[in-house]
Amino acid sequence: MNYKNTFVRALGCSAAMLFSALTLAQMPSPEETEVKVAELSDNIYMLMGLGGNIALSTGPDGAFIVDDELKPMSAKLKAAIATVSPAPVKMIFNTHWHFDHAGGNEFFAGDGALIVAHDNVRQRMSATQFSTFFNSETPPSPDAALPVITFDNTATFYLNGQTIKAMHVPPAHTDGDSILIFEEANVVHLGDVFFNGMYPFIDINSGGSIAGMLEAIELIMPLLNEETKIIPGHGPAANLDDLRSYQSMLALVSARIQVLINEGKTKEQVVALRPSFNFDADWGWQFLPGEKWVGLIYDSLVDTPRELAVD
Ligand SMILES: [Zn+2]
């Protein structure tokens, strides 16, 4: 599907920047990519470009955005925001530190925007980060790209007639994950805790784990209802049913893998047994096909096991 290709390209960009000239050749230029703007509620929009999805609140207090995607897309993103907001971006909230969600920080900070994120986002952006999965290093971000306001558990914004609650969740995709709730509008942005319709990447080096991801989803569920409009970190806009499908897929596959680990199976044996076989056609994608994703979940469960209920 198209959004899968878009994300593959986004990750292709990252891989290119990190290690591969071949991937660089396949990387689309930002000029080839349109930032799509969809209104989810009055003055609240979801924007989709090349990296992570963006939430935008517009109104008399100026534009407030959640995430600002890949750096080379900044000018395109600014232009897309300007189609619905006469005021510039006043504040940016980063759901986590990854460059496909915080890549525009420096650009928008240069325009006067304030950047807000969880304490661990600033910490990770301030130091070199290593990824075992990508076998790559991400250098520290320039000072201008760093969040200038950080928080530990929750923060509340009162902007454009909305009460916008930010909540740090248990380390899921990374240890700096936050979700955002636009209370009056009943819209949420779940960051990369939720990949809609795709196997999620889990950044184990950044403190993420599948166990934490399931914990975070359980914590989030009661805050949502059937009418909630959900912006996932990647994939199309979603509803509670989509999140439920994601949750049950994650719970089932990770339980199968945990059972195999508890039996003493090696990573190769677990991958060969295809514990995600009935989900691969729907949830697998170029960057994370079934066998690669199972390997990632195996590594996560060896690192942070799940406690399984015993019958
Ligand atoms: Zn991410």
Side-chain angles (χ1 to χ4, degrees):
M1 285 181 70
N2 208 23
Y3 65 87
K4 290 190 181 177
N5 290 335
T6 304
F7 187 50
V8 168
R9 287 173 178 189
L11 284 160
C13 292
S14 68
M17 286 185 258
L18 300 167
F19 30 75
S20 161
L22 177 69
T23 321
L24 186 63
Q26 296 164 347
M27 183 178 148
S29 66
E31 290 74 39
E32 289 176 81
T33 309
E34 286 307 312
V35 176
K36 294 194 189 94
V37 182
E39 189 166 22
L40 296 187
S41 180
D42 282 352
N43 303 317
I44 297 180
Y45 304 84
M46 170 171 159
L47 281 70
M48 287 180 96
L50 205 52
N53 293 326
I54 294 144
L56 163 66
S57 156
T58 64
D61 298 321
F64 170 90
I65 57 173
V66 181
D67 287 346
D68 54 27
E69 87 126 289
L70 295 162
K71 188 175 185 170
M73 290 294 291
S74 295
K76 280 244 166 168
L77 176 57
K78 182 179 175 175
I81 293 167
T83 63
V84 289
S85 173
V89 176
K90 180 177 195 168
M91 226 179 259
I92 300 162
F93 187 94
N94 293 147
T95 59
H96 61 294
W97 74 270
H98 287 157
F99 61 85
D100 57 330
H101 294 260
N105 280 9
E106 191 177 4
F107 176 93
F108 288 101
D111 280 354
L114 278 179
I115 305 164
V116 187
H118 183 260
D119 296 333
N120 293 345
V121 173
R122 185 178 161 99
Q123 271 197 16
R124 292 204 175 273
M125 288 179 77
S126 302
T128 300
Q129 299 296 315
F130 182 73
S131 167
T132 307
F133 190 84
F134 287 109
N135 188 25
S136 68
E137 269 186 12
T138 304
S141 299
D143 282 354
L146 300 178
V148 294
I149 301 168
T150 68
F151 65 98
D152 52 5
N153 287 313
T154 63
T156 309
F157 302 87
Y158 301 92
L159 289 168
N160 300 326
Q162 287 290 324
T163 310
I164 308 166
K165 289 223 160 116
M167 212 176 96
H168 176 53
V169 295
H173 175 71
T174 71
D175 62 6
D177 297 340
S178 295
I179 64 153
L180 272 283
I181 303 172
F182 297 79
E183 286 192 338
E184 290 81 1
N186 198 12
V187 172
V188 297
H189 191 310
L190 300 187
D192 278 1
V193 174
F194 185 24
F195 279 55
N196 185 20
M198 309 146 82
Y199 287 142
F201 177 59
I202 291 170
D203 187 347
I204 299 170
N205 299 90
S206 291
S209 75
I210 182 67
M213 194 167 260
L214 284 162
E215 238 183 274
I217 295 166
E218 249 172 64
L219 203 113
I220 293 164
M221 281 289 189
L223 309 175
L224 315 181
N225 57 46
E226 304 296 336
E227 277 75 49
T228 307
K229 296 200 165 88
I230 305 175
I231 301 175
H234 297 275
N239 59 30
L240 192 53
D241 267 345
D242 298 318
L243 186 61
R244 285 191 188 111
S245 306
Y246 177 73
Q247 179 186 35
S248 55
M249 179 277 293
L250 292 180
L252 183 57
V253 178
S254 61
R256 286 173 182 165
I257 298 172
Q258 187 66 63
V259 166
L260 295 170
I261 290 171
N262 294 351
E263 287 172 7
K265 299 268 194 300
T266 65
K267 185 172 175 176
E268 289 67 31
Q269 287 170 330
V270 171
V271 170
L273 284 165
R274 301 192 61 217
S276 64
F277 75 98
N278 55 330
F279 295 105
D280 289 349
D282 289 336
W283 296 83
W285 48 297
Q286 190 182 338
F287 169 67
L288 282 175
E291 70 276 8
K292 251 193 139 179
W293 187 68
V294 166
L296 178 69
I297 299 307
Y298 175 95
D299 287 341
S300 176
L301 289 171
V302 165
D303 201 51
T304 314
R306 270 191 70 194
E307 280 185 30
L308 299 177
V310 182
D311 291 322

